[in-house]
Every structure is written in C-alpha cells, then in structure tokens.
Amino acid sequence: MEIDPLIFRLSIFILSIFVGYYVVWSVTPSLHTPLMSVTNAISSVIIVGAIIAGLSGNNESVFNTSSIFGFLAIALAAINIFGGFLVTQRMLAMYKKKKKDK
Amino acid sequence: MLSPNLSAVFYLISGVLFILALRGLSSPESSRQGNFFGIMGMIIAVTVTFLSLGNFSSGFIFVLIFILLGGSIGAFIAYKIPMTAMPELVAGFHSLVGLAAVFVAISAFLNPEAFNLGSPGNIKLGSLIEMSIGAAVGAITFSGSVIAFLKLQGIMSGSPILFKGQHPLNAIILISIIILIYLLCSSQSTSLFWILLAVSFLIGFLLIIPIGGADMPVVISMLNSYSGWAAAGIGFTLENTALIITGALVGSSGAILSYIMCKGMNRSFFNVILGGFGATDDASSKSSAKEQKPVKSGNSEDAAFLMKNASSVIIVPGYGMAVAQAQHALREMVDTLKKNDIKVSYAIHPVAGRMPGHMNVLLAEANVPYDEVFELEEINNDFANADVAFVIGANDVTNPVAKTDPQSPIYGMPVLDVEKCKSVLFVKRSLSPGYAGIDNDLFYKENTLMLFADAKKMVEEITKSLD
C-alpha cells in the first residue's frame, strides 16, 4: 500500500516545529520585537493561496464570490508582507554597536 | 507552466529561506541579512505560484492591482508608524493574517475545483478538516487581535472585562466549535461553514476581553502563534510546503515567546489566559496603610546631584517611558552623564513594555548602542555594586515584595534587584500602585528618592541641572 502524501506533509510540519523551536530559542531577546514583525511578514505567504483563489474565475468573468474573497485576501496579505518586512528593516537598521571612540 | 514537482521544490527553497530569516535574528549583525532572506523567500513563493498557475489572463492584472494596493498601504504604514506604537502595529498585522486565512478558506470552500479539492458539496474529507481548522483558528486570530489592538491603542479600556459564567461560556463555545467541525465534515453544509466562522469570531473576542493591559505581551505572542497555526492549516489544504513550514515556524515562535513572557511574570499560561489579573479590589484596602508611610521626594537638582557623584548608573526603563516618549530625552541625559565619566548601562526586564523586546526597540531608536543594554540575568548582580538605579516608567518589575512576601500576587516573579543599589531614583507621576494593584515597597526605602513628574519633562530637567 502506498503512503498517503498527507503523512509526508505531516512529517514536514512536525520537523518544522522542531526547527522553529531551536531557531527561535537562539534569537537574542533584544530582537524579539523584530522577530514578531518578521514572523508576521512570512506568515503572509498565505498569499499563495489567495492568488490561486483570485485566479479561479473563468474566462467570461474574472469576478465570482470565490475570487472576490481571493482578491481581498491578496490585499490583506500584501499589506502584511510589505508592512512587515519594511518595518522590520526599519527597526533592524536602528540597532547599532557602541562607537569605538566613546 | 511549471510542473508540480518543480514548483514543490521552489516552495521548499522558500521555506528554507524563511528559516534562515529567523536564524539571522540571533544577533543584530546577521539580522539585516536574515530579513533579506525572508524577502527573497516571499518573492520566490509568489513568482512560483504565478508560473505554476500559468494564468496570465485579465484576472492576473487584478491580482497585481490588489498586491500593489495592499503593498502601498503596508509600505506607508511601515514608514509612518512611530516605534512606540509597535505593539499596536503587530496586533493589527496579526488580525490581517487571520482574516486572510479566513478568506482563503471561504474561497476554497466555495470553489474547491480551483484548488483541486473536489467539487462543492463533495470536498475531500481531509481537505475539509484542514480547511475548517484553518478557518476557525484564523477567525479566532482575527477577532482576538482586533480586541488586543483596541486595548493597546486605548480605544478600549485596558482593564479586564469580566462577567459571571465567562469561563463556562467560553468552554461551551470551544466544544461547540469542535462539534461544528465534525458536523460540517459529515454534511458538507454551507450554512454550517458560516456558523463555524461566526462562532470562531465570537470566541476570539471573548477570549481576549478578560485579559488586562500589562498581560498584552503574552496575548500578542499567543496571537502570533495562532496566526502561524492558521497559516499551517491552510498550507495543508493547499498542499503547499512553504506555507506548512512557515506556519510551523511562526506557530512555535509565538508559543516560545508566550512561554518566555509567562516565565517573566512567574505565572502559568492558563492563569494569564483566564484573565482578570489586577482586577481584584484588595488594592484599595492596602492603600489605606500606605498613607502613613513616609516617602522622600526630590526634584531634578537632587537627582542631578546624586548622579553626578556616582561612578555607575543603571537605568531601568518600563512602559511609562514608552507612554511619555522619553527615550530620546533619556539618551541625552545619558550622554551628559558619560561626558562626566559615569558608567551607564540599561537593565531590561523580560515583560517591560507591552510586547517582547519593546524597550530594546525604543532604546535602539534613540541611538542607544545595543551592547549597553542588558537582560535581567545578565545585569541583576551588578545592582549591588552600582551607585544609582534610575527607574523610569517601570514599577512592578522592581518590587522587592516579589522576593519577600509569599502572600503577594507577584510573589516568585523574577524582579530587578534595584533596592540593592546605594540609591534609587524613581521617576513616576504619583504613588499609585502598578498594574498588579500592589504597593511597591521600594517607594518607602531609606535610599529611594521619588521624582514625581512626567518622565520626559523630568529627564530633560535633570539634563539641564547636570550641565
């Protein structure tokens, strides 16, 4: 009997939780706020689902109930992606080391 | 058109790039590169999705329009937002992830053919389970984050909202969500799907209203975690590796942050979630006793005199510094102190502020070098050797009662040993108790000088007196 692909996805999921666990513990506490904003940005990779939904309309009409929800989700995820990465960048640019002359 | 196998490989690459993005945050030097990896991962994921669909019809134009629309709103917010408003921003962003997950789930439910999940009314069972879990968690994330946002923004009162039968009601709703998912999966009924969403929105709302303002670090971290699980749920539905990996990363990241925050307060996760902390009225009974105790208060010149004669000063910032926007003024004061050859460092308690790392970002914004800023464990032994502790906008996290009085609600919470300093300067607007509703013994110590004023004004005046 063949293994259900779901099991593979589940394996990826479980292993990723462990990777996340170890990676996040190594994040320095002073960068916890950028950590939250960047996780915000990357979790908006949900936009891939939104794009599939948005392009689900047929040739006669781009808009149907399903694709409209897709377009709305695209806009929301895009706010997060751009906003999340840019605000993270803005924050990280502020972290500076002590100047040597002081 | 990209083959499904090839696109799966690219999604995996983008997942790995997201892992590297988080890995970069282990030190400020590598963090900027990490953020770049994250952006690359996102570009790859979006491009691969377009290529694998191979649909560049008029719908594609609309997709681009909506990306541009959302993107410019996001970019605008990112550049305009003041650093003191980061907790609100993050809560707001969480709500958007949640809502996006809900919308994708709705879309997949209404038009499963587009996602290869079967036909309406006959969706594959596994997909339907994943979809409904993703939608429910997404809805909880959305409404919970909206409440957190309103509380942080001050639109809604930060004090806990409690009513009779709250916990049984929440328990019943949570159980009904599980039953609804079961019924939905066996009947494939559209109306049940909408009911499930409505109930999930409701429980997200009810779960957050009893939690008070200063517990927000836990709430934000928890919602961060939820947004990850919601994304993972949708990832399973879409059979997309990038989403599954990211969801798991974000989910565990948020869970770890909530754990760290709870430990910083020595409270269990359930204690925070059940809420109501600081709403008890035994604070008023204690306040009668406090009137009799003598308090030494001083002005900016006294404070300047004390600091000028010190050789080392430790600054303890808290949420009050963020409220007063005093970080830049504080940095100017420290510059003056350094000119007088006084050693200055900063001590940050894990739960200072309204979100993890809140104080660090504000100090970084004011150009404080990060190697002068220390965590609780790193600096706590130094208080005994320091001359002056300068507490600005913090309260409960310095309260020695946490070490001495087992009756106290904050007993056992790790606190900064501020009282061990030769003298303590406490900038505060009044003697009012902190969030935990308990009096701070530090106010009445021999070596404590209270500076009653707005934090920013007081720091500016001290700087003037130092010159």
Side-chain angles (χ1 to χ4, degrees):
Chain A
M1 200 183 121
E2 257 188 85
I3 299 172
D4 191 315
L6 176 69
I7 303 300
F8 288 116
R9 286 194 284 278
L10 202 61
S11 324
I12 294 174
F13 180 63
I14 302 290
L15 292 175
S16 301
I17 292 178
F18 278 93
V19 171
Y21 180 84
Y22 289 106
V23 168
V24 171
W25 270 117
S26 76
V27 171
T28 161
S30 67
L31 291 176
H32 276 161
T33 299
L35 171 68
M36 300 200 88
S37 60
V38 85
T39 49
N40 231 314
I42 63 172
S43 57
S44 304
V45 70
I46 201 157
I47 198 170
V48 303
I51 292 172
I52 300 174
L55 290 177
S56 64
N58 51 31
N59 290 332
E60 289 124 59
S61 140
V62 176
F63 293 102
N64 56 46
T65 327
S66 169
S67 76
I68 288 170
F69 276 111
F71 285 124
L72 291 176
I74 289 174
L76 295 177
I79 294 178
N80 252 326
I81 292 172
F82 284 75
F85 280 126
L86 288 173
V87 88
T88 310
Q89 201 162 29
R90 207 181 123 199
M91 273 192 273
L92 293 176
M94 299 185 313
Y95 282 81
K96 288 183 200 98
K97 251 196 165 148
K98 200 167 11 189
K99 283 188 211 109
K100 273 179 191 147
D101 54 17
K102 284 228 162 157
Chain B
M1 203 165 149
L2 227 52
S3 81
N5 283 334
L6 198 56
S7 35
V9 171
F10 277 114
Y11 283 132
L12 183 63
I13 293 173
S14 107
V16 171
L17 284 168
F18 290 149
I19 295 173
L20 292 175
L22 299 194
R23 183 79 188 90
L25 290 171
S26 57
S27 87
E29 288 99 72
S30 58
S31 62
R32 284 167 275 253
Q33 194 195 23
N35 200 39
F36 175 73
F37 283 140
I39 295 172
M40 287 309 296
M42 189 61 71
I43 293 173
I44 291 176
V46 171
T47 315
V48 167
T49 309
F50 283 136
L51 293 178
S52 64
L53 288 171
N55 176 352
F56 295 101
S57 63
S58 51
F60 179 67
I61 309 292
F62 281 101
V63 171
L64 289 185
I65 290 173
F66 278 94
I67 290 180
L68 276 178
L69 181 73
S72 33
I73 296 172
F76 180 77
I77 296 172
Y79 280 110
K80 284 283 165 194
I81 193 94
M83 284 299 141
T84 40
M86 275 324 283
E88 292 94 304
L89 179 76
V90 168
F93 278 172
H94 286 154
S95 73
L96 298 184
V97 179
L99 196 58
V102 170
F103 284 170
V104 173
I106 293 175
S107 183
F109 185 80
L110 295 178
N111 189 0
E113 284 112 333
F115 295 83
N116 271 326
L117 305 174
S119 55
N122 192 19
I123 301 172
K124 281 187 280 182
L125 180 63
S127 309
L128 193 56
I129 297 174
E130 293 151 4
M131 195 189 296
S132 41
I133 293 175
V137 179
I140 295 172
T141 312
F142 171 70
S143 52
S145 301
V146 167
I147 299 300
F149 175 82
L150 294 177
K151 284 196 172 196
L152 288 164
Q153 189 77 288
I155 298 169
M156 203 172 142
S157 154
S159 51
I161 297 169
L162 301 164
F163 56 87
K164 251 199 168 143
Q166 195 163 25
H167 299 321
L169 176 71
N170 289 351
I172 291 169
I173 296 179
L174 283 174
I175 294 167
S176 75
I177 287 181
I178 298 169
I179 297 172
L180 274 169
I181 292 178
Y182 174 78
L183 292 176
L184 173 64
C185 292
S186 48
S187 71
Q188 305 249 355
S189 145
T190 314
S191 46
L192 276 179
F193 185 73
W194 295 115
I195 294 172
L196 172 69
L197 282 180
V199 174
S200 305
F201 280 127
L202 180 69
I203 189 68
F205 172 77
L206 288 172
L207 280 175
I208 308 301
I209 54 166
I211 305 179
D215 283 343
M216 281 302 143
V218 181
V219 171
I220 295 190
S221 316
M222 184 184 81
L223 292 167
N224 186 232
S225 181
Y226 286 1
S227 70
W229 304 131
I234 303 296
F236 275 103
T237 319
L238 304 180
E239 310 182 347
N240 184 304
T241 347
L243 250 178
I244 295 175
I245 295 178
T246 316
L249 287 178
V250 177
S252 52
S253 159
I256 291 172
L257 289 177
S258 341
Y259 170 78
I260 296 175
M261 293 301 114
C262 287
K263 234 182 130 210
M265 298 192 288
N266 188 38
R267 291 169 53 205
S268 75
F269 185 66
F270 281 103
N271 182 292
V272 176
I273 295 310
L274 292 178
F277 193 72
T280 45
D281 42 19
D282 54 303
S284 50
S285 58
K286 276 186 184 171
S287 63
S288 52
K290 107 184 165 190
E291 310 291 337
Q292 296 136 15
K293 286 190 262 179
V295 171
K296 280 200 290 183
S297 76
N299 58 27
S300 58
E301 278 162 32
D302 302 330
F305 177 79
L306 263 172
M307 286 201 271
K308 226 172 185 171
N309 289 308
S311 61
S312 67
V313 174
I314 299 179
I315 293 171
V316 181
Y319 181 57
M321 182 188 81
V323 175
Q325 308 257 8
Q327 66 271 29
H328 297 281
L330 181 69
R331 150 86 188 187
E332 277 162 34
M333 185 188 89
V334 170
D335 282 345
T336 320
L337 289 175
K338 279 190 196 156
K339 268 185 222 149
N340 291 314
D341 281 329
I342 299 163
K343 189 178 164 264
V344 184
S345 37
Y346 299 80
I348 314 263
H349 191 275
V351 292
R354 286 291 185 267
M355 74 183 295
H358 192 188
M359 291 298 120
N360 304 77
V361 170
L362 293 182
L363 292 176
E365 188 202 9
N367 279 320
V368 172
Y370 61 83
D371 37 11
E372 287 176 11
V373 183
F374 298 94
E375 303 301 315
L376 177 115
E377 309 90 63
E378 296 173 319
I379 202 168
N380 226 4
N381 293 327
D382 297 353
F383 280 106
N385 303 319
D387 297 311
V388 176
F390 188 79
V391 183
I392 173 166
N395 186 0
D396 288 336
V397 298
T398 62
N399 197 340
V401 106
K403 290 177 284 191
T404 53
D405 180 11
Q407 302 299 315
S408 166
I410 61 168
Y411 181 70
M413 169 169 141
V415 287
L416 292 158
D417 297 335
V418 172
E419 79 281 1
K420 289 187 182 157
C421 262
K422 291 203 189 79
S423 42
V424 179
L425 294 169
F426 218 113
V427 187
K428 211 171 175 304
R429 265 182 295 204
S430 69
L431 270 185
S432 63
Y435 170 66
I438 47 163
D439 212 11
N440 193 338
D441 277 358
L442 207 55
F443 299 165
Y444 315 108
K445 292 256 178 190
E446 255 312 279
N447 56 353
T448 303
L449 190 67
M450 300 297 294
L451 306 168
F452 294 114
D454 171 74
K456 193 177 173 187
K457 273 200 196 116
M458 176 52 78
V459 170
E460 281 166 354
E461 279 168 27
I462 295 174
T463 315
K464 266 186 220 148
S465 312
L466 278 171
D467 281 331

